[in-house]
Amino acid sequence: MNKSFLWGSSISGGQCEGGYSSRSETVVDIIPQGKETRIKYLNQPGIYMQRPEGFYPSQKGVEFYENYKEDIALYGQMGLKALRFSVLWSRIFLDDSLEPNEEGLKFYDDVINELLKYNIEPIITTIHFDMPLWVVEKYNGFVNRKVVDLYEHYVRTIVQRYHNRVKYWISFCEINVMNHMLYMVGGTVLKEGEDREEVLHQCAYHKLLANARLVKVCHEIDSELKVGCEVAGTPYYPLTSLPEDYQLMIEEQRKDSRYTDVMVKGHFPYYFLKKLKEYHVEIKEEDMEEMKKHTLDFIAVSYYKTSLASTEGVRDNPRLEKTAFGWTIDPKGFRIMLNQMYERYEKPIMVVENGLGTYDQVEDGKIHDDYRIEYLEKHIEQMELAIEDGVEVIGYLTWAAMDVVSTSEGMMSKRYGFIYVDREDDGSGTLERIPKDSFYWYQNLINERMK
């Protein structure tokens, strides 16, 4: 593994920043805490403007906005070579006036400069489940073609501002998760009587066009910039040897890979194009040319688990261990996924999320998270085997650099980070940052790998 390999970690604005009074709201700011409530709201907020009483964890996050210098100093101490974070569109444009907020732009100037001070490569995601709420309320998200133009204006603003310090750009977080979370990823609220699949396919078409716009903007401004989009890498195995199970496995994989097919190959696979036509999506020749011309330089991928496909539906693999939150643990599936992806696309791959979300206990001011170390060791081992197979992996960024608000549960107690943050699920706590045992383990691993 060469010394240019990016050993790093990730965070996102909507999960860690806070700074609520100096920006407009995002889609996740209005989702209250509580797993059952969040699952409902993540998929479809419905009467979200009524704002039920309760704690809204993303409005505060872990207050990275106020503490970024101290946090980045810890990242530097850990030896991170890269940090992937999201710029909040809602901090740059407070509404649709198209006039950027200089205070917001300056904040990210400061974050980037602080990262560079510690020789940490900044990697920007333009939307990480944190679309501005005004985009939803006024335009209903990416179902509206106008949002593609608004997005282009936003990314042109930030790329022009930061391109001389930021080489790697990622359009969206886990674009294929829109299959399950239309509101969170597409920024779209279904109206009564609307066909969800029809709306989903319209959103997908516009998001893929928007992705091409980011590629175009980056390459126009600076030909050295590299652009990716994050996809959730979730391999499927057939439950049985029945041909029907194998066919359903293919169909599940297609639901995820169809997005990457367009962004890398520059055209819609036949089965995706067929669905767009069935759902009456207007397909413009100039859009197709734009998506063909402006394709990704690399693929960003998250990996957490694998699933089984069968005639009985998608299910968990009973032969695999599970996390405290019910996610299957399958390190070998990581190698399988990387090989499958590289064989299909032959593009460099940057792993931008991989980690263990579980409960941590503070004992005498320390966090002994050997279970996290074991999880990451096994996954890194499989990634390195994939590299030996010939897969071009250019970086490995864990989720997450520090504890942040979980998107799925809205909990602080579902912890992923190398750094413990003293904040409880109800928002109480001192916000003290405490490096876990895994912090020092990763520090040593990076030092060893960079020799």
Side-chain angles (χ1 to χ4, degrees), residues 87-93 127 132 134-135 147 150-151 154:
V87 167
L88 287 181
W89 183 353
S90 64
R91 196 178 291 289
I92 307 303
F93 290 96
I127 304 179
W134 61 259
V135 176
V147 174
L150 290 170
Y151 174 78
Y154 155 58

Side-chain angles (χ1 to χ4, degrees), residues 15-28:
Q15 292 169 270
C16 77
E17 265 189 32
Y20 185 64
S21 64
S22 58
R23 59 175 173 82
S24 62
E25 291 181 306
T26 72
V27 292
V28 75

Side-chain angles (χ1 to χ4, degrees), residues 6-13 15-16 64 75 78 80-86 115 120-125 128 170 173 230 300-302 304 350-355 395-404 416-419 442:
L6 296 171
W7 291 102
S9 199
S10 299
I11 54 175
S12 79
Q15 292 169 270
C16 77
F64 176 77
Y75 304 160
M78 188 164 34
L80 296 187
K81 301 305 174 187
L83 181 78
R84 173 246 186 157
F85 63 98
S86 64
L115 289 169
I120 300 173
E121 183 93 37
I123 299 171
I124 287 178
T125 305
H128 188 126
I170 295 170
C173 171
E230 182 188 353
V301 65
S302 66
Y304 293 101
M350 183 187 294
V351 179
V352 295
E353 291 187 41
N354 175 232
Y396 175 78
L397 283 63
T398 69
W399 187 265
M402 64 183 176
D403 293 340
V404 298
Y416 282 90
F418 292 121
I419 301 166
Y442 201 44

Side-chain angles (χ1 to χ4, degrees), residues 119-330:
N119 297 311
I120 300 173
E121 183 93 37
I123 299 171
I124 287 178
T125 305
T126 68
I127 304 179
H128 188 126
F129 300 163
D130 45 32
M131 183 183 288
L133 192 60
W134 61 259
V135 176
V136 180
E137 293 175 339
K138 188 160 186 176
Y139 301 100
N140 205 19
F142 274 105
V143 74
N144 190 330
R145 188 185 178 92
K146 172 69 174 175
V147 174
V148 178
D149 297 326
L150 290 170
Y151 174 78
E152 181 179 358
H153 179 71
Y154 155 58
V155 297
R156 187 174 293 278
T157 301
I158 61 173
V159 173
Q160 188 67 58
R161 180 86 169 212
Y162 309 129
H163 73 91
N164 61 336
R165 290 163 289 163
V166 180
K167 177 182 178 181
Y168 293 100
W169 294 80
I170 295 170
S171 54
F172 308 117
C173 171
E174 296 182 328
I175 186 172
N176 49 338
V177 171
M178 188 163 62
N179 294 337
H180 314 293
M181 299 195 307
L182 184 58
Y183 165 69
M184 280 292 293
V185 186
T188 296
V189 178
L190 284 176
K191 299 178 178 64
E192 187 176 350
E194 284 188 321
D195 184 318
R196 187 185 188 281
E197 284 298 305
E198 185 172 330
V199 173
L200 169 65
H201 281 76
Q202 183 65 75
C203 281
Y205 180 85
H206 287 154
K207 284 208 79 164
L208 291 166
L209 180 58
N211 175 79
R213 295 279 176 89
L214 175 65
V215 178
K216 179 185 73 170
V217 166
C218 284
H219 291 171
E220 282 178 357
I221 290 174
D222 187 339
S223 61
E224 296 299 311
L225 301 185
K226 303 298 181 184
V227 186
C229 180
E230 182 188 353
V231 294
T234 306
Y236 289 88
Y237 309 135
L239 176 63
T240 71
S241 56
L242 281 172
E244 291 86 352
D245 283 357
Y246 190 81
Q247 177 63 36
L248 286 166
M249 179 195 75
I250 291 173
E251 291 175 8
E252 290 298 331
Q253 289 175 331
R254 280 178 171 178
K255 290 177 185 176
D256 286 337
S257 63
R258 57 186 176 175
Y259 298 92
T260 321
D261 283 349
V262 178
M263 295 185 293
V264 174
K265 297 180 179 181
H267 61 85
F268 286 84
Y270 66 92
Y271 51 86
F272 197 3
L273 196 59
K274 179 175 180 288
K275 287 292 184 182
L276 292 174
K277 291 177 179 177
E278 283 180 8
Y279 289 117
H280 313 292
V281 174
E282 183 182 5
I283 301 169
K284 295 186 177 182
E285 187 62 35
E286 58 266 34
D287 295 343
M288 303 296 272
E289 286 299 315
E290 196 168 356
M291 286 184 263
K292 180 179 180 180
K293 183 178 180 180
H294 302 295
T295 56
L296 298 180
D297 301 302
F298 68 95
I299 300 167
V301 65
S302 66
Y303 178 79
Y304 293 101
K305 61 180 182 175
T306 55
S307 293
L308 298 178
S310 78
T311 54
E312 301 170 19
V314 174
R315 56 173 55 191
D316 293 330
N317 192 332
R319 295 179 177 270
L320 298 174
E321 293 181 22
K322 290 184 178 182
T323 72
F325 287 85
W327 291 26
T328 54
I329 301 174
D330 187 3

Side-chain angles (χ1 to χ4, degrees), residues 331-344:
K332 291 182 179 179
F334 192 22
R335 180 184 183 183
I336 291 168
M337 182 273 295
L338 290 170
N339 271 276
Q340 287 177 337
M341 189 165 285
Y342 193 65
E343 179 181 2
R344 189 179 184 108

Side-chain angles (χ1 to χ4, degrees), residues 389-408:
D389 295 336
V391 178
E392 185 182 358
V393 183
I394 60 175
Y396 175 78
L397 283 63
T398 69
W399 187 265
M402 64 183 176
D403 293 340
V404 298
V405 175
S406 162
T407 294
S408 52

